[in-house]
């Protein structure tokens, strides 16, 4: 079995990246490797080109990362109740992996961040699951046995972890959000290990 859990995300202002980092902590608690990858911006200016390597942060994802992972955590900020265009753009180009069944029977989870409490977090999480189901992945939510789901005043959902990015500390996760991110990473990695046995 591969020992790599791919944590793939798009983050415009850093909040979704902060969640990805906390999910990675949970993955690594299990002894598996967390591979953090992001997607580049897309542009409506056809002459614009992206650098092949980001100036800061995690490297850009390549299709080989999907091939090599044993599990996938997929994250995006909320855009009108759906995932952001850069992540969707990347997923729309994974028909080769779909045809080959690269992601079939691998566990996956989703995570999101929004700037308002009712800014579409749950619909974003649910719609992010759809391409993963088409790839034949096994979805891994977050059960209410995590006590922070009962006490959170910001992000948190059984569909996947979320973050409320408001005010001067948009990137800073609350204690509950961070614990839920770590729990999500731990659960995803543990499920990957169980499915391998």
């Amino acid at each position: 079995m591969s020992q790599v859990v791919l944590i793939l995300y798009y983050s415009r202002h850093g909040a979704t990246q902060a969640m990805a980092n906390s999910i990675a902590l949970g993955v690594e608690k299990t002894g598996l490797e967390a591979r953090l990858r992001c997607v580049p911006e897309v542009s409506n200016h056809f002459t614009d080109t992206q650098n092949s390597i980001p100036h800061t942060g995690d490297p850009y994802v390549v299709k080989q990362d999907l091939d090599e992972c044993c599990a996938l955590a997929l994250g995006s900020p909320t855009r009108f109740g759906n995932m952001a265009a850069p992540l969707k753009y990347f997923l729309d180009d994974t028909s080769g992996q779909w045809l080959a069944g690269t992601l079939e029977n691998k566990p996956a989870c989703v995570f999101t961040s929004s700037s308002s409490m009712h800014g579409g977090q749950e619909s974003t999480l649910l719609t992010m699951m759809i391409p993963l189901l088409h790839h034949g992945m096994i979805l891994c939510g977050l059960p209410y046995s995590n006590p922070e789901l009962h006490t959170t005043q910001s992000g948190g959902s059984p569909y996947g972890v979320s973050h409320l990015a408001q005010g001067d500390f948009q990137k800073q996760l609350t204690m509950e959000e961070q614990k839920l991110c770590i729990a999500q990473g731990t659960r995803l990695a543990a499920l990957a290990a169980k499915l391998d046995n």
Side-chain angles (χ1 to χ4, degrees):
M1 172 184 113
S2 164
Q3 299 292 305
V4 175
V5 175
L6 177 61
I7 303 171
L8 174 59
Y9 68 92
Y10 170 71
S11 188
R12 185 89 184 255
H13 301 292
T16 310
Q17 182 181 18
M19 296 179 74
N21 290 335
S22 291
I23 291 170
L25 292 174
V27 167
E28 290 175 348
K29 281 175 59 173
T30 69
L32 296 185
E33 174 192 342
R35 181 178 293 173
L36 289 152
R37 296 290 185 264
C38 65
V39 295
E41 296 278 352
V42 292
S43 173
N44 59 359
H45 302 287
F46 297 111
T47 58
D48 289 354
T49 58
Q50 289 283 338
N51 293 323
S52 58
I53 299 171
H55 293 295
T56 60
D58 297 308
Y60 290 137
V61 67
V62 293
K63 303 285 176 45
Q64 187 177 347
D65 292 320
L66 295 174
D67 300 338
E68 293 175 353
C69 74
C70 65
L72 171 67
L74 188 67
S76 172
T78 294
R79 294 292 186 264
F80 303 107
N82 210 326
M83 76 179 88
L87 191 60
K88 178 76 164 61
Y89 184 80
F90 174 79
L91 290 174
D92 284 349
D93 194 36
T94 59
S95 57
Q97 284 68 33
W98 174 72
L99 287 167
T102 301
L103 296 172
E104 281 184 17
N105 301 319
K106 294 180 181 181
C109 68
V110 292
F111 59 102
T112 192
S113 174
S114 68
S115 60
S116 63
M117 179 69 79
H118 303 289
Q121 287 185 354
E122 290 186 348
S123 63
T124 299
L125 293 169
L126 290 168
T127 55
M128 286 175 68
M129 292 177 185
I130 294 171
L132 305 181
L133 288 167
H134 277 260
H135 274 286
M137 300 195 83
I138 301 166
L139 296 176
C140 171
L142 200 58
Y144 275 95
S145 55
N146 292 284
E148 293 78 19
L149 278 180
H150 296 279
T151 60
T152 182
Q153 297 293 307
S154 54
S157 161
Y159 309 112
V161 290
S162 60
H163 166 63
L164 181 60
Q166 282 187 322
D168 297 332
F169 304 101
Q170 293 182 16
K171 299 178 200 176
Q172 188 171 337
L173 305 180
T174 66
M175 183 177 56
E176 287 91 354
E177 290 170 343
Q178 185 172 29
K179 285 182 179 180
L180 290 170
C181 285
I182 292 169
Q184 182 75 82
T186 302
R187 186 165 198 253
L188 180 66
L191 182 57
K194 282 183 182 178
L195 287 172
D196 186 52
N197 291 330

